[in-house]
Amino acid sequence: MFLESRFESIETAVCALTDLLGTQRGDEESWYAATSSLREAMANAVRHGGRGTADDQVRVELVVEGAEVMMTVEDRGRGFDVDAVPDPTAPENLLKSCGRGIFTMRRLMDSVVFRHRGGGGTIVQMRRRLTNNDQGEAS
Amino acid sequence: MKQLIRDNGDVRIISLSGKITIGSGDVAMREVITENLEQGHTKILLDLAGITAIDSSGIGEMVASYTSAKNRGAQLKLLNLSKKISDILQVTQLITVFDVFDDEEEAVASF
């Protein structure tokens, strides 16, 4: 789905994920990890991934397959060097008011991959196994 | 995000409920804390029992509020963290920064 690049779209994406996971959302821990990580990825896409135009959009793909949730968030911003993001737990960064989003995603998900999008932008792909979940469905 | 403000002795207790996430509660939380600091309150206890979701922006605003309080010679402490919030503070190592309590009277006595 394509969403407007605005903070209100974060809840739209989270609601879509909650609907998709539905009764087969696995344990509470997995559900929390997936929704929290989607919030962080969406927040980064909206905050840093726009070009400042009225038609900025974020593409979101949510898939539950087997016992795994896969989420892709794609923006059209300038992109960034993920390896250059400072460690928020380093003593000199501990009291900074920002910079914990990617760290949080990596702690909550089994896999978080950042790729540059051709033509500009960033693609974030996240995966996590849904424990206590034996059925699968894709969307 | 909703807020309820009361005093226990000379400690200002700000009870928050709902979400502290980007664009939905993060700025409101900072504003209510700043407002109380500007009113001269130097002992602020943030009760997070009613918080249903918090993200890195919410955590960031909490850190900014902590720093702001400290710079004014005031103290900001936390009460009633859910397991999720407690886990976030653990992994981000902010648990070493904040004073955290499960009991209000114990928290009040600590100032």
Side-chain angles (χ1 to χ4, degrees), chain A residues 114-134:
Chain A
F114 292 85
R115 292 193 291 119
H116 293 293
R117 177 181 174 276
T122 301
I123 301 171
V124 186
Q125 293 175 309
M126 302 175 281
R127 291 173 174 264
R128 181 179 165 113
R129 183 166 180 79
L130 298 169
T131 51
N132 301 328
N133 183 346
D134 298 319

Side-chain angles (χ1 to χ4, degrees), chain B residues 16-104:
Chain B
L16 304 178
S17 58
K19 296 175 185 171
I20 308 177
T21 56
I22 191 165
S24 175
D26 57 341
V27 174
M29 177 183 66
R30 184 185 61 201
E31 287 176 349
V32 69
I33 294 170
T34 300
E35 188 180 311
N36 279 275
L37 288 170
E38 288 175 347
Q39 288 170 3
H41 294 283
T42 58
K43 301 174 182 177
I44 296 180
L45 187 58
L46 204 57
D47 184 349
L48 301 175
I51 295 303
T52 55
I54 190 165
D55 65 4
S56 63
S57 291
I59 295 292
E61 292 296 350
M62 210 180 287
V63 171
S65 297
Y66 169 88
T67 304
S68 178
K70 196 173 179 184
N71 290 342
R72 289 168 180 263
Q75 291 176 283
L76 175 69
K77 301 186 179 187
L78 306 181
L79 176 67
N80 292 328
L81 270 57
S82 66
K83 184 178 180 306
K84 295 286 183 263
I85 297 177
S86 182
D87 286 348
I88 292 173
L89 294 187
Q90 288 282 354
V91 300
T92 56
Q93 297 186 20
L94 288 170
I95 202 76
T96 62
V97 171
F98 289 102
D99 285 339
V100 175
F101 298 87
D102 294 323
D103 180 79
E104 180 177 321

Side-chain angles (χ1 to χ4, degrees), chain A residues 13-14 28 48 52 54 57 64 66 72 74 78 83 89 93 98 101-102 108 110-111 116 120 127-128 130 134:
Chain A
V14 170
E28 189 69 21
H48 306 298
Q57 288 188 320
V64 175
T72 301
E74 182 177 327
R78 293 181 176 180
D83 294 326
T89 64
N93 298 325
C98 57
I102 292 172
L108 293 173
D110 294 332
S111 164
H116 293 293
R127 291 173 174 264
R128 181 179 165 113
L130 298 169
D134 298 319

Side-chain angles (χ1 to χ4, degrees), chain A residues 1-136:
Chain A
M1 64 182 150
F2 286 88
L3 300 173
E4 286 183 62
S5 183
R6 46 193 297 202
F7 292 130
E8 290 81 352
S9 296
I10 297 173
E11 286 308 315
T12 306
V14 170
C15 284
L17 176 61
T18 299
D19 287 346
L20 177 62
L21 293 175
T23 56
Q24 56 171 1
R25 68 192 209 178
D27 66 317
E28 189 69 21
E29 195 69 30
S30 303
W31 177 82
Y32 170 78
T35 55
S36 296
S37 298
L38 182 59
R39 277 186 199 282
E40 299 293 351
M42 283 291 298
N44 279 344
V46 171
R47 189 157 41 188
H48 306 298
R51 291 180 167 169
T53 58
D55 61 347
D56 276 344
Q57 288 188 320
V58 179
R59 190 181 78 83
V60 180
E61 185 177 284
L62 307 171
V63 176
V64 175
E65 196 170 86
E68 192 174 50
V69 59
M70 291 163 280
M71 307 184 290
T72 301
V73 176
E74 182 177 327
D75 66 56
R76 297 185 177 185
R78 293 181 176 180
F80 68 103
D81 180 4
V82 68
D83 294 326
V85 176
D87 175 5
T89 64
E92 67 273 21
N93 298 325
L94 209 52
L95 291 179
K96 287 186 177 172
S97 62
C98 57
R100 297 180 180 85
I102 292 172
F103 176 84
T104 302
M105 290 155 57
R106 284 181 161 155
R107 291 301 294 249
L108 293 173
M109 300 299 285
D110 294 332
S111 164
V112 180
V113 176
F114 292 85
R115 292 193 291 119
H116 293 293
R117 177 181 174 276
T122 301
I123 301 171
V124 186
Q125 293 175 309
M126 302 175 281
R127 291 173 174 264
R128 181 179 165 113
R129 183 166 180 79
L130 298 169
T131 51
N132 301 328
N133 183 346
D134 298 319
Q135 298 176 343

